[in-house]
Amino acid sequence: MGMNTGAMRFPWVGWRDVRLGARLAVVSVAAMVAARLLGLQAFYWAGISALIVSTGSPGGSLAAGLSRMGGTVVGLGVGVGTAALLGHTLLAAGVGVAVAILVCQGIGLKGAARVGALTTLFPISAVSGPHALGMTLNTSFSRGENVLVGCAVALLLDWVLWPERPAERLTARLRQDVSLAGVQAAGWLRAYVLGAEPPAEPSLQELLEAHAVHAGLLNALAAEPEEREAPRAHFMAQMEAVHAMVEHCHSLKELVLQAGDDRVQHLLRDELKEMAGRLDDCGKAFGVGRDFQVALWFLGDARHRLDGAYAKVRGDQGTQAYPVQEVFHLVGVIAACHGLERAMRRLESA
């Protein structure tokens, strides 16, 4: 088939990724500017804290942001206290991290325990010799002030200037993943029947990891007071449908790679080409939230034509001229097409 699967691939980057980078950049710079305007020393700690707390991170929500801020405050307090007692030492770092994690878990901030442990190191991690207690406290409190400024700026910008609720993020991510799955399925089908270059591997890997992202967003949805009435069952059904699509895309990829120089697929060349185009159209229609039912009807018609063409070829004993392994690959590809269509229809009924 002439496919070069070892070629250099570049990761797929979407608009949401660009927007995430821009948001985090603005949040961190704004926090450092605020710290400088307040006359704080070592203002870069404010930027670091803003990045940690910012809800612009994947899976972020208001509840998650507040939880991270709580963990940050706990870590800051533990770090200041530990630095005051043990100085800027490795022993202080080890004790502070352990205590911060225990405190966070003890007061119900288990999800922010890592953030608390990280923040503990801020007031401790100064390069020092035999400093006096006063210098230790000055260093700790200076960093603590920056941490608090960073937390405040991050939450202010995220939830006043550009609020984005978990339900909105989950909907957008599901649409993005369905669109990408349609592109992947169409690409592998075209590679199979036309010998075209297969789609980029990083895109399929991103889809395989998307289930965990969906679950994180669904958990964030449950934690939001204003989102508790959101249709969780609807989102869970869509998540399962997307996961099924991804599994079928992965199966299709494995079959196409195993097919190598198969020729039997040319018996159904036109039908497989049409199926590829309809899968692509369906994914894009769902992605933009428009004309999905129409695209789904054409997908069903293409699948019906594919089944009819295969039945005719079998009836005419057209596959007997080809090795059994090639026919096996063809049957597997058709089954993957069926699975992809079923998953698309589950999105319609979800």
Side-chain angles (χ1 to χ4, degrees):
M1 292 174 59
M3 295 188 299
N4 182 14
T5 57
M8 179 71 73
R9 303 293 182 195
F10 294 96
W12 185 85
V13 178
W15 168 244
R16 288 179 61 82
D17 302 304
V18 175
R19 186 173 61 176
L20 171 61
R23 287 183 65 172
L24 292 179
V26 171
V27 165
S28 61
V29 171
M32 288 188 286
V33 169
R36 291 197 66 177
L37 291 175
L38 292 172
L40 301 182
Q41 301 296 319
F43 57 85
Y44 49 85
W45 290 106
I48 296 172
S49 300
L51 289 175
I52 294 173
V53 172
S54 175
T55 56
S57 59
S61 67
L62 177 57
L66 292 173
S67 175
R68 286 195 292 268
M69 184 171 182
T72 300
V73 173
V74 169
L76 179 60
V78 171
V80 170
T82 307
L85 293 174
L86 302 176
H88 300 293
T89 63
L90 291 177
L91 175 61
V95 172
V97 167
V99 171
I101 291 175
L102 291 175
V103 172
C104 286
Q105 291 178 335
I107 63 176
L109 295 175
K110 293 184 178 181
R114 288 188 178 183
V115 173
L118 174 62
T119 310
T120 301
L121 300 177
F122 289 2
I124 296 175
S125 60
V127 179
S128 64
H131 289 294
L133 177 60
M135 180 60 71
T136 302
L137 290 176
N138 286 338
T139 302
S140 301
F141 282 122
S142 174
R143 294 187 180 183
E145 291 168 344
N146 280 286
V147 168
L148 294 177
V149 169
C151 291
V153 170
L155 292 181
L156 177 66
L157 290 180
D158 279 341
W159 293 97
V160 173
L161 298 185
W162 48 48
E164 189 179 48
R165 301 305 182 193
E168 297 171 355
R169 287 202 301 277
L170 181 54
T171 298
R173 180 58 192 255
L174 288 169
R175 287 181 176 178
Q176 171 187 304
D177 290 340
V178 170
S179 180
L180 184 56
V183 171
Q184 282 284 315
W188 285 108
L189 267 180
R190 291 181 180 120
Y192 177 62
V193 72
L194 301 175
E197 281 292 312
E201 290 285 349
S203 298
L204 183 56
Q205 186 60 38
E206 179 185 346
L207 284 173
L208 291 171
E209 297 170 355
H211 196 60
V213 177
H214 299 161
L217 288 170
L218 191 65
N219 290 336
L221 185 73
E224 287 294 325
E226 66 274 22
E227 300 283 8
R228 285 176 182 167
E229 300 303 319
R232 285 177 55 83
H234 166 76
F235 282 122
M236 290 181 67
Q238 287 198 332
M239 286 166 53
E240 291 172 0
V242 174
H243 185 61
M245 284 187 66
V246 173
E247 291 297 320
H248 289 305
C249 281
H250 184 66
S251 299
L252 185 60
K253 168 203 164 185
E254 295 299 320
L255 285 165
V256 173
L257 291 179
Q258 292 171 17
D261 295 322
D262 285 4
R263 295 173 295 113
V264 68
Q265 65 268 31
H266 296 299
L267 296 173
L268 305 175
R269 177 187 177 92
D270 292 339
E271 291 76 15
L272 288 170
K273 280 175 56 181
E274 183 183 6
M275 193 72 188
R278 296 308 181 187
L279 284 169
D280 196 2
D281 291 343
C282 245
K284 290 177 179 176
F286 187 84
V288 299
R290 186 174 63 250
D291 299 329
F292 180 60
Q293 291 184 332
V294 174
L296 198 58
W297 185 90
F298 280 111
L299 177 63
D301 183 65
R303 192 266 308 155
H304 181 73
R305 292 173 184 272
L306 177 61
D307 290 345
Y310 179 68
K312 184 177 186 304
V313 167
R314 289 297 302 271
D316 296 339
Q317 298 183 340
T319 59
Q320 291 188 354
Y322 298 90
V324 174
Q325 193 67 17
E326 291 194 19
V327 178
F328 173 80
H329 292 152
L330 177 61
V331 172
V333 167
I334 294 174
C337 290
H338 276 249
L340 286 162
E341 187 209 356
R342 286 195 302 271
M344 289 281 193
R345 292 196 180 279
R346 287 168 63 184
L347 288 171
E348 180 189 32
S349 59

